[in-house]
Amino acid sequence: MRKLWFSIKEYFAKADLFLLLLALVTSAYGLVLISSAMHASGNMRPLIVQGIAIGLGVAAYFIITLFDLEHLSFLWKAVFVGNLLLLATTLFWGVGLETTGNNSWIRFTLGGVETGLQPGEVGKILFIFTLAKHFKSLGDDLNSLRGLLMLVLHCVITVAFVYLFSKDDGMALSYLFIFVLMAFAGGIYLRYCAIGLVGVAAALPLVWTFVLGQYQRDRFIVLFDGTYKLDSVGYHQQQSLMAIQSGGLWGDGLYQGTVTQYGYLPTKQTDFIFSVACEELGFFGGLLIILLLGAIIAVCVIAAVRMRDDKFCMLMCIGIAAMFTFQTFINIGMNLRIAPVVGLTLPFISYGGTSVVTMYVAIGIVASLKKHYNRKSFLSDR
């Protein structure tokens, strides 16, 4: 018993728990906002599910920190294939809403309770893992034609599985953003990055005409025409802006927001949770979200900088920071009508079991990399 107690004390003495504390504070804030969003309906199931997801996420965080993930990186090719198979499940069993145009969820019953899994969320972590190892394995061949082609194929194949099988454009864009930042940090020459960006820009007209459906194009048109389709696609962001404007500096009070409580704000516990915070807690309620998520992203980036001599560890942290950054920017942008509504959750805040567990897994990976990197550095100095 004494030995077990000593091991627990040693674990907590060496573990960096600041990132976990930030995530827990952010999640607690999210629970308050979800409670307010669901208050008028009386449906507290999302609050219960979110609480369970946070508990599972914290457990996953501690389990992951026990392992040195770099020792498992030799499995990256098998993980890459496994990720593709996971993403392909939405082709056969994926479900969604007709209004969103995607089928990114796998629904099933567990213990008599209907629940679900979003493969694309889990796949982001696996994508970051495999891509980080792929970058490191290329070594000096990184900027060769073969190296660049292999990395591009790594990204394109994964994104194709996300988009073609689940039709989830928001998720596909998040994978692309992660790849771009990891490519920049991973050492790909700037001229190649510039050529890639020019190529993407040149392809946009073709994507707009031949790839995007009308409902997807409508999401972009709304950003430039506030009067466009206010009875359908434009309604969500119009109501979101009304809620934010209503809150002003100090807000209308928790559980007292008119737009939130009287059912005028759609998907308020997920896509538009930021608007709930702004209406009921005002400018400072929204600012608190930005500060908390900004702090989590900053910790990930600082960890990457400190581990810059280990490309795998550094790129894993950069990829996770990129994931948090993109989802934060897009979700808040959706609420402010400066980004299209693509269904991405606000990290640690929005309701979503798979998303919450994935976020805690992500910070668990950062904490694990830091812990084992520090241990290896200590041993090498002795």
Side-chain angles (χ1 to χ4, degrees):
M1 189 68 179
R2 177 180 291 183
K3 188 175 181 181
L4 175 62
W5 177 246
F6 176 78
S7 298
I8 294 174
K9 285 180 66 177
E10 185 180 28
Y11 172 85
F12 281 100
K14 293 182 178 180
D16 182 0
L17 299 178
F18 178 65
L19 187 56
L20 177 61
L21 178 62
L22 280 173
L24 286 172
V25 171
T26 308
S27 293
Y29 187 27
L31 286 174
V32 172
L33 296 175
I34 293 170
S35 171
S36 179
M38 305 307 298
H39 176 69
S41 68
N43 178 17
M44 291 294 109
R45 184 179 183 275
L47 196 64
I48 296 171
V49 172
Q50 191 82 344
I52 294 172
I54 292 170
L56 292 174
V58 172
Y61 173 94
F62 284 118
I63 292 171
I64 289 170
T65 56
L66 297 174
F67 298 94
D68 187 348
L69 295 178
E70 195 163 13
H71 289 166
L72 302 175
S73 62
F74 72 95
L75 297 170
W76 75 274
K77 292 182 180 179
V79 174
F80 174 73
V81 174
N83 192 24
L84 295 182
L85 293 175
L86 174 65
L87 296 172
T89 58
T90 57
L91 176 65
F92 305 101
W93 301 291
V95 297
L97 299 174
E98 292 183 4
T99 53
T100 62
N102 66 56
N103 56 319
S104 56
W105 285 90
I106 305 296
R107 296 290 182 186
F108 53 90
T109 301
L110 184 64
V113 178
E114 184 180 346
T115 185
L117 171 71
Q118 195 171 11
E121 288 284 359
V122 180
K124 280 188 289 191
I125 300 296
L126 302 180
F127 178 63
I128 293 168
F129 176 82
T130 57
L131 197 57
K133 182 58 180 179
H134 197 169
F135 268 96
K136 184 173 182 177
S137 67
L138 286 172
D140 295 335
D141 292 332
L142 176 63
N143 284 288
S144 66
L145 179 61
R146 175 184 172 276
L148 292 172
L149 182 61
M150 293 299 292
L151 287 172
V152 170
L153 285 175
H154 189 141
C155 174
V156 169
I157 292 172
T158 308
V159 171
F161 269 61
V162 173
Y163 184 75
L164 295 178
F165 295 156
S166 70
K167 306 299 182 183
D168 194 335
D169 44 6
M171 191 68 70
L173 286 172
S174 68
Y175 279 71
L176 285 173
F177 185 81
I178 290 168
F179 174 77
V180 169
L181 285 200
M182 289 181 70
F184 178 78
I188 289 183
Y189 294 154
L190 288 179
R191 60 178 178 271
Y192 295 146
C193 293
I195 292 172
L197 291 175
V198 170
V200 170
L204 287 178
L206 296 177
V207 173
W208 178 269
T209 305
F210 300 107
V211 177
L212 299 183
Q214 185 58 49
Y215 73 96
Q216 292 168 315
R217 291 194 287 267
D218 286 344
R219 295 174 184 175
F220 287 94
I221 296 172
V222 164
L223 303 181
F224 303 97
D225 184 357
T227 63
Y228 184 72
K229 290 192 176 181
L230 290 179
D231 59 335
S232 55
V233 68
Y235 177 79
H236 294 64
Q237 289 178 305
Q238 182 72 15
Q239 296 304 114
S240 174
L241 286 177
M242 286 179 60
I244 293 172
Q245 292 166 0
S246 173
L249 194 61
W250 301 106
D252 297 334
L254 199 62
Y255 305 109
Q256 296 180 33
T258 302
V259 181
T260 297
Q261 299 303 327
Y262 287 90
Y264 297 117
L265 183 63
T267 57
K268 52 191 173 183
Q269 75 275 20
T270 52
D271 292 358
F272 295 100
I273 196 76
F274 182 78
S275 296
V276 175
C278 291
E279 181 183 30
E280 300 196 336
L281 300 173
F283 169 80
F284 292 104
L287 179 63
L288 181 58
I289 290 177
I290 295 172
L291 291 176
L292 286 170
L293 292 176
I296 291 172
I297 294 167
V299 171
C300 295
V301 173
I302 291 170
V305 172
R306 289 179 175 173
M307 294 185 285
R308 58 186 176 275
D309 58 330
D310 187 323
K311 180 168 279 192
F312 175 78
C313 294
M314 182 269 288
L315 286 177
M316 281 288 291
C317 291
I318 287 294
I320 289 168
M323 178 180 72
F324 288 144
T325 300
F326 185 77
Q327 287 194 214
T328 300
F329 175 81
I330 292 297
N331 184 275
I332 294 177
M334 284 160 43
N335 284 253
L336 297 174
R337 208 170 68 189
I338 59 175
V341 177
V342 291
L344 289 180
T345 59
L346 192 57
F348 300 104
I349 300 285
S350 295
Y351 165 63
T354 305
S355 174
V356 170
V357 174
T358 300
M359 297 300 141
Y360 276 96
V361 168
I363 63 169
I365 289 172
V366 174
S368 174
L369 294 172
K370 289 173 64 178
K371 176 185 175 183
H372 292 95
Y373 177 85
N374 291 336
R375 181 181 63 81
K376 287 181 284 190
S377 298
F378 173 76
L379 292 175
S380 64
D381 291 340
R382 294 188 65 180

